Amino acid sequence: MIKKIAILTSGGDSQGMNNSIRAIVKTAKVYGLETFLVYEGYKGLVENLIVPATEIKIDQYINRGGTFIYSARYIEFKQEETRIKAKKVLESHGIEALVVIGGDGSYHGAQLLHKLGVKTIALPGTIDNDISSTDYTIGFDTALSAIVENVDRIRDTANSHHRCMLVEVMGRYAGDLSLHSGIATGAEIIITAENKMSTKEIISIVDEQMNKLKKDSVIIIISEHVYSDLNKLANDIETETKVVTRASVLAHLQRGGIPTANERVLATRMGVYAVDLLLENKSGLAIGIKNNKINALPILEALSTERPKLINEILMISKINQQ
């Protein structure tokens, strides 16, 4: 049976990561296992930035967003000699297993270490919800709540001045944050990578909503990377419709902050299950949640799971919100 587990967070930070770390450390303690914290992701693993979890008062982070053990993007980990060095660092501490919390890039790193003989378990830590093998990723719920709060505020001021407001949200190339926030805030137009609309189409809808139906405001939620110049799009809409139009990029307002209750529960459940799997001598698995049941798939299978198509739901919700 394994006796020592290390934990690292990798890629973009997400709310709930700290709750997973806490759950892993405390579950391991129940079973008499030692845990170690790796600072700064895979970079810290290679550079031996590893400390015993006993040195940290871990309960203080239960309501803190981000990751208190830091994170870093480390492309050098793609090189085999770098990964071999990482394995040797773990071996020097007598660490037999590693739990990785992050997105798809972090999953790839965990899989490569698994191939080298390191026991690895991956947890989906990303606000984008772009790990298709799980219904929800750690960080998604809190990021969504932050978007909804900000869009509600934007709607208030838009109503006060009869304006059209463009709001860009994160999600990389996944449309989940856009769709869910569009549903929650009643956005008249929801635009994602799979539902990119032409400027002409957007102008037509804004003109009908504001000039014909006399709505107080129009909110357009747009996934990042869809349009290269949001201000130009806003100017084009205003020129053609005569409706004052402004663009807002929420950017890092979606990250950090107090994790929601649902986030803390999900992250904790996944952290506990990670230790359970390692005690069963399992490795190379990615944890997820389907229909409220925590499960695990081989990492490569999790990475190859096809994303559900959202376009029909996006179009229907947009039509509903335009009524």
Side-chain angles (χ1 to χ4, degrees):
M1 186 179 80
I2 64 167
K3 295 181 179 180
K4 295 183 179 183
I5 302 172
I7 310 163
L8 67 79
T9 52
S10 175
D13 65 286
S14 64
Q15 309 93 325
M17 281 182 164
N18 290 333
N19 301 89
S20 286
I21 296 167
R22 176 181 177 275
I24 295 164
V25 171
K26 286 181 169 283
T27 305
K29 188 175 181 179
V30 168
Y31 291 108
L33 309 178
E34 292 183 64
T35 48
F36 294 79
L37 305 175
V38 182
Y39 284 85
E40 297 188 31
Y42 288 114
K43 177 176 179 288
L45 182 58
V46 173
E47 296 179 359
N48 197 17
L49 303 179
I50 300 175
V51 300
T54 51
E55 294 184 6
I56 307 296
K57 293 181 179 179
I58 205 160
D59 283 332
Q60 66 182 305
Y61 299 105
I62 195 169
N63 63 346
R64 290 267 297 275
T67 166
F68 75 90
I69 57 174
Y70 312 116
S71 184
R73 302 188 190 279
Y74 190 57
I75 59 173
E76 291 89 344
F77 207 71
K78 293 180 179 180
Q79 302 167 3
E80 186 175 7
E81 60 268 27
T82 303
R83 298 193 298 274
I84 291 173
K85 183 177 180 181
K87 181 183 179 182
K88 289 180 178 178
V89 169
L90 288 172
E91 290 173 344
S92 71
H93 291 273
I95 297 171
E96 303 135 302
L98 176 69
V99 180
V100 174
I101 310 169
D104 55 358
S106 306
Y107 275 33
H108 282 292
Q111 172 63 21
L112 291 169
L113 284 175
H114 167 67
K115 287 180 65 177
L116 281 178
V118 178
K119 286 185 172 60
T120 59
I121 301 293
L123 270 63
T126 167
I127 70 168
D128 300 329
N129 211 44
D130 59 351
I131 302 292
S132 302
S133 58
T134 182
D135 288 339
Y136 300 107
T137 57
I138 297 166
F140 175 72
D141 188 66
T142 309
L144 176 61
S145 295
I147 293 170
V148 171
E149 179 181 350
N150 280 283
V151 173
D152 284 347
R153 293 182 180 191
I154 289 171
R155 175 76 83 175
D156 285 346
T157 188
N159 284 340
S160 299
H161 299 278
H162 299 291
R163 288 182 176 176
C164 171
M165 304 294 281
L166 281 60
V167 184
E168 183 184 272
V169 303
M170 286 182 172
R172 204 163 50 170
Y173 297 102
D176 295 52
L177 283 173
S178 297
L179 174 60
H180 286 249
S181 62
I183 293 171
T185 61
E188 284 76 12
I189 302 176
I190 303 169
I191 298 174
T192 68
E194 62 182 302
N195 181 45
K196 183 175 181 179
M197 299 175 66
S198 69
T199 302
K200 184 178 180 181
E201 289 174 311
I202 297 170
I203 288 170
S204 176
I205 294 172
V206 173
D207 182 54
E208 179 177 1
Q209 294 286 295
M210 296 294 289
N211 296 326
K212 296 177 183 177
L213 298 180
K214 303 299 181 182
K215 279 203 169 183
D216 290 331
S217 64
V218 165
I219 298 292
I220 305 174
I221 292 184
I222 305 173
S223 294
E224 61 184 343
H225 305 309
V226 175
Y227 300 107
S228 59
D229 191 339
L230 217 59
N231 287 316
K232 182 181 185 305
L233 177 59
N235 288 335
D236 289 343
I237 294 170
E238 182 169 333
T239 298
E240 294 298 322
T241 65
K242 309 306 178 188
V243 175
V244 176
T245 304
R246 297 290 183 265
S248 297
V249 180
L250 295 186
H252 289 83
L253 286 172
Q254 298 155 87
R255 294 192 182 276
I258 299 171
T260 63
N262 285 336
E263 203 79 80
R264 300 182 200 191
V265 172
L266 176 64
T268 299
R269 292 175 68 191
M270 288 184 171
V272 171
Y273 193 47
V275 178
D276 290 342
L277 290 174
L278 290 172
L279 287 171
E280 294 172 8
N281 206 34
K282 302 288 181 63
S283 178
L285 297 177
I287 292 176
I289 185 168
K290 286 287 184 181
N291 301 317
N292 203 35
K293 182 177 176 59
I294 304 294
N295 59 24
L297 294 173
I299 292 174
L300 290 180
E301 185 177 338
L303 288 169
S304 63
T305 300
E306 186 176 354
R307 283 192 57 77
K309 300 297 182 183
L310 302 176
I311 185 166
N312 290 334
E313 188 172 2
I314 291 169
L315 292 173
M316 179 54 70
I317 292 297
S318 294
K319 288 179 181 179
I320 290 170
N321 290 342
Q322 289 166 19
Q323 299 308 304

